[in-house]
Amino acid sequence: MIIAIDGPAASGKGTLGKRIAGHLGLPHLDTGLLYRAVGAHCLASGTLDDIAASAEAARALDVSALDPESLRTGALGEAASVVAARPEVRAALVDLQRRFAAQPGGAVLDGRDIGTVICPDATVKLFVTASPEVRADRRFRELAARDPLASYEAVLADIHKRDARDSNRAAAPLLKADDAVLLDTSALGIEETFAAALAIIEAARARAG
Ligand code: DC
């Protein structure tokens, strides 16, 4: 069973994907980490504006060496969004993601184009979203726990900027697949979101026989 979870920045899709994968005993890939790792490499080597260098970094990516903790920063989210807009970078990461999805027993993948491009035949497709203000508030609370100078306004501005770039790019823009189920978590907590997602997965499983 392949479960595709897409949605905008800070929608909670990563937390949900991890939780679902743990519950079902499936491997989980947060595909945002792939783009973050490419962005990190380009920032470190001063090649963020260089399309060929970013595509080369994507081709050379070692998935087993990804460090989620160091990659989940605001600056790397921004760098990831820049390199992710390039078709050359996206093309270099397609096979890796499809191989992950094709593991025996299935997998859970989350990102922006899993249900539309990477796994169009996924058993279940979820499109997880929440209002920009709710997403900014959740992200701000996480940041404020570590950084007393964190600003809600700055986080909200960053979310608007990333939404615009991820949704308006020509290459695999953030889009709800026609057959994805919309899960708006604006008024839901983590437990309620998990329960709603499980109900959708069970229904899809029953349909698939
Ligand atoms: O989900 P995230 O915030 O870790 O993703 C970082 C950036 O990577 C995001 O702004 C857009 C890009 N991304 C993408 O284009 N396609 C994916 N499947 C996952 C992430």
Side-chain angles (χ1 to χ4, degrees):
M1 174 168 59
I2 297 175
I3 301 180
I5 307 178
D6 291 301
S11 57
K13 62 189 185 310
T15 307
L16 180 64
K18 195 171 165 189
R19 187 87 191 269
I20 290 172
H23 182 79
L24 298 175
L26 293 174
H28 170 229
L29 182 63
D30 170 351
T31 62
L33 292 178
L34 307 176
Y35 295 93
R36 286 172 180 266
V38 174
H41 176 92
C42 292
L43 271 186
S45 56
T47 55
L48 195 59
D49 296 333
D50 185 334
I51 294 178
S54 54
E56 183 48 43
R59 280 191 289 274
L61 193 69
D62 178 0
V63 188
S64 65
L66 297 179
D67 173 19
E69 284 314 304
S70 68
L71 291 171
R72 288 201 181 104
T73 66
L76 292 183
E78 181 63 21
S81 171
V82 170
V83 296
R86 299 176 181 154
E88 297 83 351
V89 170
R90 306 198 71 82
L93 297 173
V94 168
D95 285 351
L96 183 163
Q97 296 174 80
R98 290 197 176 141
R99 274 201 308 276
F100 189 92
Q103 293 181 72
V108 179
L109 288 85
D110 72 76
R112 302 291 187 290
D113 63 340
I114 308 302
T116 50
V117 175
I118 303 296
C119 303
D121 297 326
T123 327
V124 188
K125 297 182 187 178
L126 295 171
F127 192 84
V128 182
T129 191
S131 71
E133 290 74 18
V134 167
R135 289 185 280 130
D137 186 58
R138 289 178 188 156
R139 185 52 57 87
F140 168 69
R141 284 170 199 271
E142 273 169 31
L143 280 178
R146 285 181 274 136
D147 177 5
L149 297 178
S151 135
Y152 169 80
E153 283 70 28
V155 175
L156 181 61
D158 177 61
I159 292 229
H160 279 305
K161 193 167 150 194
R162 276 226 271 151
D163 280 358
R165 195 188 288 117
D166 295 347
S167 303
N168 298 329
R169 69 187 180 209
L174 170 66
L175 208 62
K176 178 186 162 304
D178 288 341
D179 52 351
V181 180
L182 180 71
L183 187 53
D184 187 329
T185 70
S186 299
L188 302 181
I190 293 177
E191 291 307 320
E192 291 163 314
T193 302
F194 177 59
L198 271 190
I200 295 166
I201 292 167
E202 291 310 331
R205 240 183 182 174
R207 269 198 309 278

